Amino acid sequence: MYWRSKDILKQPEWSNVRALYKSSGYTDDDLSKPIIAVVNSFSTICPGHFNLRSLAQHVREGIRAAGGTPVEFGTIGACDGMAMGHDGMRFVLPTRELIANDIEMMIQAHRLDGMVLLGSCDKIIPGMLMAAARLDIPAILVNGGPTLPGKLKTNNPYGGEYVDHSIIQQSLGSLQSGKMNEEDYLWLEDHAVPTIGSCAMLGTANTMGCLSEALGMTLPGSSTIPAVYSARMAVAYESGKAIMSLVQNNLTARKIITRDSLENAIKVNSAIGGSTNAVLHILAIAYEAEIDLTLEDFGRISKEVPHITPLIPGGPYTLLDLHEAGGIPAVMKVLEKSLALDAITLTGRTVGENSSKVRVKNTDVIRDLTNPSNKNGGIAVLTGNLSPEGAVTKPSAIPKEAHTFRGPAVVFESEQDALQGITSGMIKPGDVLVIRNEGPKGGPGMPEMYKAMKLLVGMNLGSKVCVITDGRFSGSNNGCFVGHISPEAAEGGPIGAVRNGDIIAIDVNQGTIEVESEDFSERCKDVNCYTNTKFKGYLFSYGKLVNSAAKGAIIPVR
């Protein structure tokens, strides 16, 4: 059987390469087998990645048990939670492209035969899946698993008994407005995140772990296993074994990442109420796989499936609850009639075959289609004179009374200006808070308006003020918000022409976002594009090269 690494390991022509492997302790027997990359984003910075060093060992053991030779290298993995609310957030989305590029360079330079990708958090999973689609070699993703949630039975803002990390920022608004005392606030710091793992709610990290499974790139049932469970180690071992089956059967990434599997993932995202960031990432993965998928497609497909799993921030439950209810296989079982059941997965079996014996174990957590948590899909795409290329929101995280919102604009030219405006009391119920110049180019880096939204929710303004931006939001955000407004201000988009006092009307159900002003179209012809010249280095290059959020904020590679 042929595999790529043979091209540079044949004797005697390639003895120089063999000698370099042998200098690291590899043997002739090792070099007679497929060479499999273990791509590890381990760090002690990011709690979602803290356990990846130990998981990598189990992956390597699985590879060896199945007849392969593992080689390991690292890549970066930033923590969104630590980067929130300051200039560091501009650097997070751009790491996605760096990760994809790093993996491509290492795999191609060394002619490796397959790869197991170890990542857990927001931009790392999509960056790894982008690399898999770009390279089109056998690949499996193993996530580190979610943290166990903190417990808070009294005054729980989510309505259940669990909380997660995002409650801390939300509670800062309560503290600052006198609705919470400092002792209770500091208690959250010590108890909201009791273990390692990706955040316990359905933020971008866990959304993308779940969608990797829905795509067929992660072992069925594994994406929701908590980071501290022994089953997490067993899955790593089994994934090491599974990659060898993919190599032996030449089941490459693009045979799994197809139009059908991407549509399956979009429907699962809608059903679970996944992060708005999933829009950027699924479009980017589709681009790398050379599949024509648009923002309009995403919005249309999302409408086909209601929100059936009320997970924080769109309900009281956590990833632990979802796991115990049956995980993504159970969600896909409920969606069976709307999915492409013949889509192939890394198991070599189809989606239908994988879910044939699955059952839902808790119908409060995973509801039937006839009893959804929200009749709207998890993601909605809005268009109108304010966002002709489209904008993104998350109906499952918006209070129903705010699905239609109309109010005067209060305009800020950056996130920091908006935060100052919120804390100084400039924002009143009924306002539409406009934050611009924070898109992929204008930011640069398209930072999340996480902190602004959390402060408003903590001040009991989450449904009384609507935040709109050409930046983006965290998967943990709730309240009334619309992001990814495209074109962004830095590209001459209409958001750059909005003035204080303009009446803005948002209708999530109808999919519209409009400025109600007779002269708005004329103003849009004379928008002064903003360019952030403060940043140099990679962000300077990123801002020059990156495409619109409506196209996934990709940097073109072809």
Side-chain angles (χ1 to χ4, degrees):
M1 179 182 174
Y2 169 79
W3 52 82
R4 291 170 14 130
S5 62
K6 281 185 175 181
D7 291 341
I8 61 168
L9 290 174
K10 293 175 184 175
Q11 293 173 312
E13 181 182 2
W14 295 103
S15 289
N16 61 322
V17 176
R18 296 175 68 86
L20 292 170
Y21 270 115
K22 288 180 176 180
S23 71
S24 298
Y26 290 95
T27 66
D28 285 325
D29 184 52
D30 292 329
L31 301 181
S32 70
K33 302 171 182 176
I35 310 297
I36 307 299
V38 179
V39 185
N40 195 350
S41 55
F42 161 81
S43 78
T44 58
I45 298 175
C46 182
H49 291 208
F50 199 93
N51 63 336
L52 297 185
R53 176 181 283 170
S54 61
L55 292 185
Q57 178 183 344
H58 292 279
V59 170
R60 293 195 305 269
E61 290 172 356
I63 292 169
R64 287 198 177 276
T69 296
V71 294
E72 184 175 347
F73 65 87
T75 188
I76 59 174
C79 177
D80 280 56
M82 294 184 187
M84 291 290 183
H86 55 85
D87 277 346
M89 179 44 66
R90 303 182 190 279
F91 292 82
V92 175
L93 180 60
T95 66
R96 186 187 69 177
E97 270 60 29
L98 289 175
I99 291 164
N101 293 342
D102 279 359
I103 294 170
E104 178 193 12
M105 296 298 104
M106 286 294 286
I107 295 293
Q108 296 293 57
H110 302 96
R111 308 304 297 163
L112 303 178
D113 301 306
M115 56 186 182
V116 179
L117 305 160
L118 287 162
S120 297
C121 292
D122 297 33
K123 311 309 173 290
I124 299 87
I125 290 177
M128 289 178 163
L129 291 174
M130 288 165 65
R134 185 186 302 178
L135 290 163
D136 193 26
I137 64 170
I140 293 176
L141 186 128
V142 179
N143 64 317
T147 178
L148 295 180
K151 282 198 171 185
L152 181 66
K153 293 188 177 181
T154 58
N155 299 320
N156 187 314
Y158 301 117
E161 62 177 298
Y162 291 131
V163 293
D164 81 294
H165 170 262
S166 67
I167 194 177
I168 301 173
Q169 189 66 68
Q170 181 171 320
S171 297
L172 181 59
S174 300
L175 178 68
Q176 292 176 341
S177 60
K179 295 179 174 64
M180 174 180 276
N181 63 50
E182 187 171 342
E183 182 181 358
D184 289 342
Y185 177 78
L186 293 178
W187 182 91
L188 294 173
E189 179 182 322
D190 292 334
H191 296 89
V193 194
T195 74
I196 59 169
S198 50
C199 298
M201 83 303 189
L202 192 66
T204 307
N206 289 320
T207 294
M208 293 312 300
C210 290
L211 297 192
S212 178
E213 184 178 329
L215 278 171
M217 292 292 291
T218 294
L219 284 178
S222 69
S223 63
T224 56
I225 298 172
V228 294
Y229 279 20
S230 58
R232 177 54 59 192
M233 293 180 283
V235 161
Y237 178 81
E238 292 299 328
S239 296
K241 291 178 64 178
I243 190 65
M244 294 308 302
S245 177
L246 298 188
V247 170
Q248 289 155 8
N249 292 294
N250 194 32
L251 186 52
T252 62
R254 290 195 191 182
K255 294 174 183 175
I256 297 172
I257 301 173
T258 64
R259 176 75 188 209
D260 281 347
S261 71
L262 287 166
E263 291 198 10
N264 283 349
I266 293 170
K267 291 174 182 177
V268 168
N269 186 70
S270 191
I272 63 177
S275 169
T276 52
N277 287 313
V279 179
L280 296 175
H281 301 325
I282 290 293
L283 293 178
I285 293 164
Y287 169 78
E288 296 289 358
E290 301 186 48
I291 295 168
D292 183 18
L293 185 73
T294 67
L295 180 60
E296 183 182 0
D297 292 331
F298 202 110
R300 173 181 53 78
I301 296 164
S302 293
K303 286 181 181 179
E304 297 175 13
V305 174
H307 176 220
I308 61 171
T309 64
L311 307 181
I312 296 173
Y317 300 111
T318 68
L319 262 287
L320 176 62
D321 296 305
L322 177 59
H323 180 65
E324 292 176 345
I328 294 305
V331 172
M332 296 181 81
K333 185 69 175 179
V334 173
L335 303 183
E336 204 167 34
K337 291 182 179 179
S338 67
L339 298 179
L341 297 179
D342 57 351
I344 199 72
T345 69
L346 66 83
T347 64
R349 299 186 297 274
T350 65
V351 169
E353 290 169 336
N354 285 342
S355 63
S356 62
K357 297 181 181 179
V358 172
R359 65 183 182 88
V360 176
K361 300 175 184 176
N362 186 330
T363 55
D364 290 328
V365 178
I366 303 175
R367 300 187 180 188
D368 189 77
L369 292 172
T370 60
N371 181 37
S373 174
N374 192 320
K375 291 181 180 180
N376 296 86
I379 294 291
V381 174
L382 313 184
T383 57
N385 66 1
L386 184 54
S387 188
E389 291 182 2
V392 176
T393 190
K394 184 177 179 179
S396 60
I398 300 176
K400 287 184 171 60
E401 64 269 23
H403 278 207
T404 56
F405 198 100
R406 183 177 178 274
V410 182
V411 182
F412 296 95
E413 303 297 339
S414 71
E415 177 190 15
Q416 291 304 317
D417 287 350
L419 292 174
Q420 291 175 14
I422 293 168
T423 54
S424 66
M426 287 179 61
I427 307 302
K428 302 292 189 293
D431 287 343
V432 177
L433 195 164
V434 180
I435 308 175
R436 62 191 177 202
N437 305 310
E438 297 291 13
K441 288 183 178 294
M446 202 179 183
E448 294 177 348
M449 304 301 106
Y450 164 89
K451 190 171 184 177
M453 201 67 242
K454 285 295 181 184
L455 287 175
L456 290 168
V457 170
M459 296 164 70
N460 289 333
L461 292 174
S463 63
K464 300 170 185 174
V465 170
C466 194
V467 179
I468 68 171
T469 180
D470 52 8
R472 57 196 179 89
F473 290 93
S474 167
S476 69
N477 278 130
N478 58 326
C480 184
F481 59 91
V482 181
H484 306 203
I485 289 177
S486 301
E488 62 176 292
E491 290 190 304
I495 190 173
V498 176
R499 296 174 182 167
N500 285 322
D502 280 343
I503 300 301
I504 297 177
I506 297 134
D507 192 323
V508 174
N509 300 320
Q510 295 300 316
T512 58
I513 181 166
E514 296 274 346
V515 176
E516 297 178 355
S517 175
E518 292 182 1
D519 71 335
F520 187 64
S521 60
E522 287 300 313
R523 274 191 262 153
C524 290
K525 296 176 182 177
D526 191 32
V527 173
N528 293 316
C529 297
Y530 168 88
T531 302
N532 193 330
T533 57
K534 177 181 176 182
F535 293 93
K536 303 186 187 305
Y538 177 55
L539 283 191
F540 176 84
S541 299
Y542 180 86
K544 295 288 186 183
L545 298 172
V546 68
N547 275 0
S548 166
K551 296 182 179 179
I554 59 166
I555 292 178
V557 295
R558 65 176 187 277

